[in-house]
Amino acid sequence: MIEDLSDDEARRALPLKWEDPDTVPAWVAEMDFRQAEPITQALVDAVRDGALGYPPHADELGSSFADFAHRHWDWSVPAEASVPTGGVIAGVRLALEVLCPPGPVVVPLPCYPPFRDVVEVTGREVVGVTVDPDSEPAALDLGQVEAAFAAGARTFLLCNPHNPLGRVPSRAELGALADLARAYDVRVITDEIHGPLVLSGATFTPYLTVDERAVLVTSPSKSFNMPAVHGAQLVVLDPDDQKALRSVPIPAQNTWSALGVVAGTAAWRDGDAWLAALLSRLSVQREVLEELVADRLPRARMRRLEATYLAWLDLRAYGVADPAAAALDQGARVAPGHDYQPGLDGHVRINVATSPDRLEHVVNALARAVMG
Ligand SMILES: Cc1ncc(COP(=O)(O)O)c(C=O)c1O
């Protein structure tokens, strides 16, 4: 069911990821797989019907997400809790501007780089709390979090599961964060775009199930490989919050795409079989990477990937500050660790959602880059 794209197909389908003809790309979070047939069908039907008008006020995104959440996570979330938006980061910006007080925002580091940008774009200050690169598991330091809250931060930006660490926090950890958030009247914005991408061995907890005041921002765009359709949703349980988000003026909301709603609804409603096949394939890719790293980069450290298709590799033992830059010269593009945590040397993020051959090429290139 998971169809690999050839190089030529991938260049057409994923032009940003594949823009450099001289490197095998394992950087941006897109998968070298053809999208799920129900999504293709829904989009083709919509375009054939000429459904290129403005998106309607009422749509099925909320109910299809609610059904998905119930099937996958045994979570009952009302359909009306979902408010469509154009993208996850656009949704985080809305959440900050509409539902959060001004003032500093706590962001665990390393983080998906636009987390820092979106906080700054809204005129707020990032307070980084650092996940120790040597900690096992890569858990939040709640002492640092509490210190940031005690110093005045009233907003926390969570990534659950975590990109780039590939980790799924336990319900107990999320509950402890929720307790702190309640104690300090902190609003948690939780980006759960990687929620459906939890691999065998880990269990995903929607953060809203431990903290009803949180703002969830999600999209099927990552799990179903379709950022081009520009569709995401905010999910808030309080009717006043829903109303506040729905009444944002168009120039501030940046609107969303009718085709994003079509594709998103199809993904949440009809994508289960494809998603199950994808997760099996990603588990295989995880093993391929583990074997390659053990064999070609024996001094590297890598925690087991629990979710996402983005592996975080610690290459500090090789003493190369920027292994991603060195790998470019060897024909592979991976994401540099310092993009996720300024000043952090010796780390890279590798996208494993590709063919085993390409993954081998990437690991070999990294090995040449750090060992000469
Ligand atoms: C954690 C996280 N949030 C958001 C996004 C991007 O979402 P969007 O393009 O909808 O803003 C990504 C993309 O990789 C991501 O990893």
Side-chain angles (χ1 to χ4, degrees):
M1 203 176 218
I2 300 302
E3 202 185 320
D4 284 75
L5 298 173
S6 68
D7 288 9
D8 283 345
E9 289 169 339
R11 273 189 197 100
R12 284 196 296 275
L14 310 167
L16 173 69
K17 182 179 184 188
W18 282 78
E19 71 187 347
D20 176 359
D22 299 323
T23 55
V24 172
W27 59 294
V28 68
E30 295 180 312
M31 300 183 277
D32 296 335
F33 308 141
R34 193 174 308 290
Q35 76 271 15
E37 188 52 31
I39 290 169
T40 308
Q41 200 55 55
L43 285 170
V44 167
D45 289 350
V47 173
R48 286 240 163 81
D49 288 346
L52 299 177
Y54 290 117
H57 284 113
D59 59 47
E60 291 175 69
L61 200 57
S63 58
S64 59
F65 174 71
D67 291 346
F68 183 94
H70 197 260
R71 288 195 308 277
H72 288 260
W73 307 314
D74 198 20
W75 175 34
S76 298
V77 56
E80 61 276 14
S82 280
V83 179
T85 189
V88 167
I89 293 302
V92 171
R93 180 173 57 74
L94 268 183
L96 286 168
E97 286 176 342
V98 179
L99 300 175
C100 300
V105 178
V106 181
V107 180
L109 299 175
C111 71
Y112 174 58
F115 270 31
R116 301 192 307 274
D117 299 338
V118 73
V119 170
E120 281 161 12
V121 159
T122 64
R124 290 161 166 84
E125 180 203 342
V126 173
V127 179
V129 296
T130 310
V131 175
D132 178 354
D134 294 315
S135 65
E136 185 57 55
L140 260 183
D141 177 344
L142 289 176
Q144 276 189 63
V145 174
E146 179 159 19
F149 292 171
R154 290 292 169 266
T155 312
F156 185 97
L157 189 45
L158 176 69
C159 190
N160 173 38
H162 195 270
N163 169 22
L165 294 173
R167 171 141 201 277
V168 184
S170 67
R171 173 171 281 274
E173 270 176 273
L174 294 178
L177 175 64
D179 288 344
L180 273 183
R182 267 187 287 275
Y184 287 89
D185 196 23
V186 165
R187 181 82 93 147
V188 175
I189 302 173
T190 178
D191 172 341
E192 298 186 358
I193 194 172
H194 295 283
L197 289 174
V198 171
L199 304 179
S200 60
T203 305
F204 173 65
T205 305
Y207 182 75
L208 267 175
T209 62
V210 299
D211 179 356
E212 295 200 336
R213 271 194 75 229
V215 185
L216 162 63
V217 194
T218 192
S219 168
S221 66
K222 203 57 38 191
S223 320
F224 290 90
N225 215 25
M226 49 175 193
V229 299
H230 217 56
Q233 59 215 92
L234 294 124
V235 182
V236 281
L237 300 180
D238 178 350
D240 287 341
D241 289 347
Q242 292 161 14
K243 203 164 148 207
L245 288 171
R246 286 185 202 282
S247 11
V248 171
I250 284 175
Q253 158 61 309
N254 193 23
T255 65
W256 59 96
S257 148
L259 293 179
V261 173
V262 166
T265 303
W268 295 134
R269 192 183 54 208
D270 304 322
D272 282 6
W274 188 88
L275 182 62
L278 175 71
L279 295 178
S280 305
R281 171 64 188 274
L282 293 180
S283 292
V284 172
Q285 294 302 117
R286 166 172 72 178
E287 259 152 51
V288 172
L289 181 68
E290 284 173 358
E291 280 166 25
L292 284 168
V293 167
D295 190 48
R296 318 285 154 88
L297 287 163
R299 297 172 67 200
R301 294 172 63 202
M302 184 172 69
R303 299 183 190 89
R304 182 139 239 242
L305 195 59
E306 297 174 344
T308 82
Y309 48 84
L310 308 161
W312 186 243
L313 205 56
D314 175 355
L315 297 165
R316 284 174 299 171
Y318 292 101
V320 174
D322 190 352
L328 275 181
D329 297 332
Q330 302 295 332
R333 183 164 180 192
V334 295
H338 55 73
D339 278 1
Y340 302 84
Q341 182 175 330
L344 180 70
D345 284 346
H347 287 73
V348 297
R349 194 192 73 172
I350 300 182
N351 179 338
V352 304
T354 189
S355 68
D357 284 355
R358 292 191 195 110
L359 199 49
E360 182 169 12
H361 174 100
V362 169
V363 175
N364 284 341
L366 259 180
R368 287 194 302 275
V370 295
M371 291 191 267

